[in-house]
Every structure is written in C-alpha cells, then in structure tokens.
Amino acid sequence: MAYSLPPPPPPPPSLPLHNHFTRRSLLLLSTTTTTTTTLSLTSTPPPTPTVTDRVFMDFSLCPNNFLPDRANTLSPICSDSTLLGRVVLGLFGNLVPLTVSNFKSVCLGSNATSSSYKNTLVHKVFPGQYLLAGRQGRPDKGEVRPPRDLPRNTETVDAKAFALTHSRPGVVSLSLSENDDDDDVKLDPEYRNVEFLITTGPGPCPQLDSKNIVFGTVLEGLDVITAIASIPTYQPSERIRQFNDLAEFFGDGRAQNARNIWNRPLTTVYISDCGELKVTKPSLTPSLP
C-alpha cells in the first residue's frame, strides 16, 4: 500500500516590512544615520572670503646687515635705503572683523607715537615658507608699539576665525603660534598681538593651519614678497644648534635670546610706508595667484 506524505503546513502570515525591526537592523540604521550626519558636517566647505578693505605696504632694503639703535624713533631705519616695491593686501573684514580692524589701525597708526608698522622690520624669513613682520617692542629697534586703545581681539579664541588655510603664496595671517614677541611683553595685561606673517610659497604651509588667523591675501606685489623670501638669512651651524638645545634644557634664558637672530635677513628689510586704499565696493572672491 502506498502512503503519501501530508502536505506541509502553510507558512505563518508575514509581518509588514515596516513593522519588522530587529536589534541588528536598528543598530545599522543608527550607524548609517550617524555616518551620514558626520559626513554632512565634515564636508562643509570653507567660507568664501570677500575683500572688504585694502591696505598697502612699501618694502625697502638697507645695505647694512644689522640694525643699530636709533636715537630718534621717528627717523627712517636707513638713510640710504632702496625701495623694493609696493604690496597691496586685500583684507577679509566680513570674516574676521576684529582682526582686520586692528591690523588697519596699526597700518594707519601715528608715526609720531610709534604705533604704526611704518619703519618696522621684517625680522624673520623662513625660505620657502613665510616671512614675519610686526614684532612688538622697542621702536628704536625697528619694532612696533601698538596703539594704547587697540581693542582686545576675542577672535583668537573663536574656532570659526581659523577656518581659512595657508594654501598658497600670499596668504596674510595674524601670527599666533609663530609669534616671537618677548615673554615680558606678552605678560603685560595690555598686550595686543600685532605680529603678522605672509606666506612666500612656492607651496602651501599646512603647519600654520588652525593655529594662525588668515585675514587677507596679497592682491598686488607678490613678486616683492618673493624677492624678500630670496634674501639670505642667518642660519646657525649644527654645533650651535646643539649647544642652544642643551642650554635650553638646563633652563638658560640666553638660549631664547640667541634664537632671536636665527632666520634674520642678512640685508635689512623694513616697511618704509603703509596706509589704506579706499574700496568703493567690496569685491567678490579675490583671484589669487
């Protein structure tokens, strides 16, 4: 006698897809949502800078390779100087208004009170990277003394002020991480940082990003910046560097003083004049080199 197997029982009714969640699917859904949110945040493009103000700086050369003390701080650094050229800087006043306002104040500062960048040195040049100017201190040594009424720059603690990068030659930024003002100057309750840097190229300087506030760019005269970058600078020998590191390790304060002359141009470079160029209408994103 042949026996036939009974038919299999019908499958249980399937639940609608939208009601069927497992712990794994919930975890995957949460991870996907988080990843998508993170990607959308990290892919936010940097702000588009607009040139709202323009200032000029005339750079001059002096044949001597050191700066003597000047009895009169209003006199030029050098009586036998050669004009190297004019640099026009475009400033991003909409992005970092406090930094731009303070920079303009020192550009327009009174030479009678030594509160201007005029007659101050380009005191450091790092070949292939950037130059430093606006060191704060004694005007008779080619250093700047900021105006007493210069507002405190709260943008130095605002993360949004560090959004732009040092991606090309001609970037102008407020020198914070690279600032080499003397410690006794920085400890003054009325201290205001006015030292700035300009990248010289040929490549970017990513080591400066997120540490210094980019507030402008070179609109004209990048060839002047390139010429400054080509001036020979003082470079200590390896033995001197080793002695300096050892002195710093033992807490000898003279080590820092010795480093102040490293990377100093062997031909004196200084800002012989500076001022504002009126902008009737803010421009769009500058065409950078």
Side-chain angles (χ1 to χ4, degrees):
M1 180 183 291
Y3 292 92
S4 61
L5 295 175
S14 60
L15 294 176
L17 183 60
H18 62 274
N19 290 331
H20 186 63
F21 292 109
T22 64
R23 184 171 181 272
R24 177 179 174 82
S25 64
L26 288 175
L27 287 174
L28 289 174
L29 179 62
S30 174
T31 303
T32 305
T33 305
T34 303
T35 304
T36 303
T37 304
T38 303
L39 288 175
S40 64
L41 290 176
T42 56
S43 60
T44 303
T48 301
T50 300
V51 173
T52 58
D53 307 87
R54 290 190 302 168
V55 299
F56 72 89
M57 286 186 169
D58 291 341
F59 290 88
S60 295
L61 300 177
C62 193
N64 63 310
N65 60 3
F66 65 95
L67 180 68
D69 290 346
R70 292 176 293 161
N72 181 4
T73 60
L74 305 183
S75 63
I77 287 180
C78 180
S79 59
D80 188 24
S81 63
T82 301
L83 179 64
L84 186 59
R86 170 166 291 191
V87 176
V88 177
L89 306 177
L91 310 180
F92 308 145
N94 289 341
L95 185 63
V96 280
L98 281 174
T99 302
V100 167
S101 176
N102 283 359
F103 182 76
K104 282 180 57 182
S105 294
V106 185
C107 281
L108 303 174
S110 170
N111 198 37
T113 57
S114 305
S115 60
S116 171
Y117 287 124
K118 185 176 180 179
N119 285 330
T120 61
L121 291 174
V122 175
H123 59 277
K124 292 285 182 68
V125 176
F126 296 86
Q129 300 181 64
Y130 58 92
L131 60 82
L132 281 172
R135 177 180 166 89
Q136 190 171 158
R138 294 172 51 182
D140 61 322
K141 289 186 174 293
E143 298 168 339
V144 66
R145 181 182 297 149
R148 292 186 177 275
D149 58 348
L150 199 68
R152 188 175 297 277
N153 190 350
T154 56
E155 289 170 350
T156 58
V157 293
D158 184 356
K160 293 184 294 185
F162 297 84
L164 297 180
T165 61
H166 303 74
S167 57
R168 53 172 60 89
V171 173
V172 187
S173 65
L174 184 66
S175 180
L176 300 176
S177 66
E178 312 308 313
N179 180 279
D180 58 359
D181 290 337
D182 289 337
D183 289 340
D184 57 343
V185 174
K186 293 179 180 178
L187 292 175
D188 188 329
E190 298 303 317
Y191 173 74
R192 301 290 187 270
N193 181 20
V194 296
E195 188 173 318
F196 65 96
L197 64 86
I198 303 177
T199 57
T200 61
C205 292
Q207 75 276 16
L208 303 176
D209 295 344
S210 304
K211 301 175 184 178
N212 305 276
I213 299 177
V214 174
F215 66 91
T217 185
V218 173
L219 297 178
E220 301 175 25
L222 189 59
D223 57 325
V224 177
I225 299 300
T226 303
I228 295 174
S230 66
I231 295 174
T233 59
Y234 171 72
Q235 299 295 328
S237 66
E238 185 60 30
R239 186 175 183 182
I240 290 178
R241 290 180 180 273
Q242 292 174 355
F243 275 123
N244 187 274
D245 291 342
L246 185 63
E248 185 180 32
F249 176 78
F250 285 108
D252 191 334
R254 292 173 295 180
Q256 177 59 46
N257 293 333
R259 285 199 299 272
N260 285 336
I261 65 171
W262 296 5
N263 292 98
R264 177 181 293 182
L266 296 182
T267 299
T268 300
V269 189
Y270 71 102
I271 302 169
S272 53
D273 198 7
C274 55
E276 183 179 13
L277 297 173
K278 294 295 184 181
V279 178
T280 57
K281 183 179 180 181
S283 65
L284 299 177
T285 307
S287 177
L288 301 177

